[in-house]
Amino acid sequence: MYMVKVGIVGGTGYTGVELLRLLAQHPQVEVAIITSRSEAGVCVADMYPNLRGHYDQLKFSVPDTVALGACDVVFFATPHGVAHALAGELLAAGTRVIDLSADFRLADADEWARWYNQPHGAPGLLDEAVYGLPEVNRERIRAARLIAVPGCYPTATQLGLLPLLENGLADPARLIADCKSGVSGAGRGASVGSLFCEAGESMKAYAVKGHRHLPEITQGLRRAAGGEVGLTFVPHLTPMIRGIHATLYATVVDRSVDLQALYEQRYADEPFVDVMPAGSHPETRSVRGANVCRIAVHRPQAGDLVVVLSVIDNLVKGASGQAVQNLNIMFGLDERMGLAHAGLMP
Ligand SMILES: NC(=O)c1ccc[n+]([C@@H]2O[C@H](COP(=O)([O-])OP(=O)(O)OC[C@H]3O[C@@H](n4cnc5c(N)ncnc54)[C@H](OP(=O)(O)O)[C@@H]3O)[C@@H](O)[C@H]2O)c1
């Protein structure tokens, strides 16, 4: 049986360790390299005891593009800018790249530069980068050499709104995404806002005037709608470790459409989108640790404002699980491989 040889750049962060947890159960993947500049030489199982018994020989190492270039595929679980610097060299070596950061998510290099306050580091690669949302781009992902894994808010929001926009049902000018995230969404790096005493027992909105995920979400919704969209996106920080809860509002004037049937049909063949029965309220805890987006669609008081509830685990369907799903598609494996487990309850 062929084993896909994998490298991971940025193995000490939350998406890096989540990749390791998921890949430990993947029967056709061998993790050959995992990098960390600060923990080089440390065994991964010493830093993350949940991995004891899975990667006992594997140590963090300093990123080395020659060694990484001997892998079949390299994941980047790093802050933005790192994949810009290294992806070109790896692609030239014949290694495919799955980037979990925002480096290749926006098709327009100038727009990326405006939102990230620095010049785009690899505009020449944008043409071949494929946005790794399998529910939209599965065929392109199969042949891709470079994948931009969608962000967490963008995954929950796009999957929730796509059926309405693809079918021209929602007023594209008046969309609202009211989203809540757990604190792991900010990564493992120390920051005051992520401290227990700052984030616990409280909830707050942030970046209301413009969050970096806004241009990514609108880019995806524009493609679905076939034209311009107007989106108000308000992210919130909530006192949980994992999870995104997106409450999405769209005006659907045509009240004759069976929205439940529409959503069920759109996602009937999708292994990782679960359209819940009519009247449901999906919970973030039902997707904790699982590569699932759970969706419910409501039309309160039979009015023209439709409310879609969409939940994911930010570290799984919102990052590392979706990245593994992309790997499976790229290497012709069963898309569910290594990802079939249920969420953790309670
Ligand atoms: N957290 C989430 O829920 C989530 C969801 C979707 C997407 N993402 C994206 O995924 C990426 C990783 O997120 P995270 O939350 O896992 O971040 P994180 O916890 O802050 O970890 C970042 C990792 O990158 C490494 N790193 C930092 N600078 C580097 C450099 N210049 N060169 C090589 N390695 C470097 C760090 O290790 P060393 O410094 O030791 O090398 C660390 O292992 C980010 O771009 C983030 O936006 C995160």
Side-chain angles (χ1 to χ4, degrees):
M1 184 171 60
Y2 182 71
M3 299 292 279
V4 179
K5 191 172 169 188
V6 163
I8 301 172
V9 182
T12 51
Y14 287 149
T15 59
V17 69
E18 190 67 354
L19 275 172
L20 286 175
R21 184 182 73 88
L22 296 170
L23 293 175
Q25 307 161 58
H26 197 296
Q28 281 193 242
V29 161
E30 172 206 351
V31 179
I33 299 175
I34 179 129
T35 84
S36 163
R37 300 157 311 156
S38 55
E39 303 295 337
V42 173
C43 286
V44 296
D46 287 347
M47 179 153 182
Y48 286 113
N50 63 319
L51 300 173
R52 282 174 64 79
H54 292 284
Y55 295 103
D56 287 344
Q57 305 304 317
L58 190 65
K59 291 183 175 171
F60 293 110
S61 58
V62 172
D64 168 2
T65 40
V66 175
L68 289 165
C71 294
D72 295 311
V73 60
V74 169
F75 292 97
F76 281 88
T78 46
H80 62 271
V82 180
H84 280 172
L86 301 179
E89 206 174 322
L90 295 179
L91 293 172
T95 299
R96 294 162 98 176
V97 170
I98 302 177
D99 178 27
L100 281 76
S101 84
D103 279 5
F104 298 103
R105 291 184 198 153
L106 299 184
D108 182 337
D110 294 334
E111 186 172 37
W112 192 96
R114 276 196 302 280
W115 283 93
Y116 289 87
N117 300 321
Q118 65 190 71
H120 196 286
L125 295 177
L126 282 175
D127 273 353
E128 74 160 300
V130 173
Y131 190 66
L133 193 61
E135 293 76 9
V136 173
N137 276 337
R138 186 169 280 107
E139 287 316 310
R140 292 187 63 215
I141 292 169
R142 274 187 223 292
R145 296 196 311 154
L146 173 58
I147 294 287
V149 180
C152 45
Y153 287 124
T155 297
T157 303
Q158 289 176 84
L159 291 177
L161 289 174
L162 286 181
L164 296 178
L165 292 173
E166 287 171 350
N167 290 286
L169 291 170
D171 176 353
R174 298 183 64 80
L175 301 167
I176 296 174
D178 177 12
C179 299
K180 280 89 186 170
S181 173
V183 184
S184 66
R188 189 165 181 269
S191 74
V192 171
S194 302
L195 291 173
F196 183 72
C197 292
E198 303 289 325
E201 299 294 335
S202 184
M203 191 172 129
K204 61 175 272 199
Y206 64 102
V208 177
K209 74 174 185 182
H211 184 282
R212 283 172 171 170
H213 284 174
L214 177 66
E216 180 186 341
I217 301 171
T218 50
Q219 172 181 276
L221 298 184
R222 261 199 315 269
R223 282 182 190 149
E228 283 308 316
V229 297
L231 173 72
T232 302
F233 167 50
V234 182
H236 298 74
L237 190 67
T238 60
M240 57 185 177
I241 294 175
R242 291 169 179 251
I244 298 267
H245 187 298
T247 307
L248 310 165
Y249 301 86
T251 304
V252 179
V253 175
D254 182 351
R255 297 179 200 198
S256 68
V257 192
D258 181 344
L259 295 175
Q260 182 68 24
L262 177 86
Y263 273 70
E264 286 177 6
Q265 279 158 19
R266 172 62 176 85
Y267 293 124
D269 297 325
E270 289 301 339
F272 296 115
V273 182
D274 175 25
V275 178
M276 297 185 72
S280 302
H281 297 87
E283 298 173 76
T284 55
R285 66 180 186 147
S286 78
V287 294
R288 226 153 54 91
N291 191 52
V292 179
C293 177
R294 208 149 259 144
I295 295 178
V297 56
H298 294 253
R299 193 192 273 277
Q301 288 85 51
D304 63 7
L305 193 65
V306 168
V307 179
V308 183
L309 309 174
S310 171
V311 300
I312 58 169
D313 182 326
N314 55 296
L315 293 176
V316 190
K317 185 60 175 162
S320 307
Q322 186 137 264
V324 174
Q325 191 180 348
N326 274 277
L327 176 146
N328 288 339
I329 298 169
M330 291 164 90
F331 286 86
L333 304 173
D334 180 340
E335 201 167 319
R336 294 178 179 82
M337 202 174 271
L339 297 171
H341 51 275
L344 296 171
M345 286 279 271

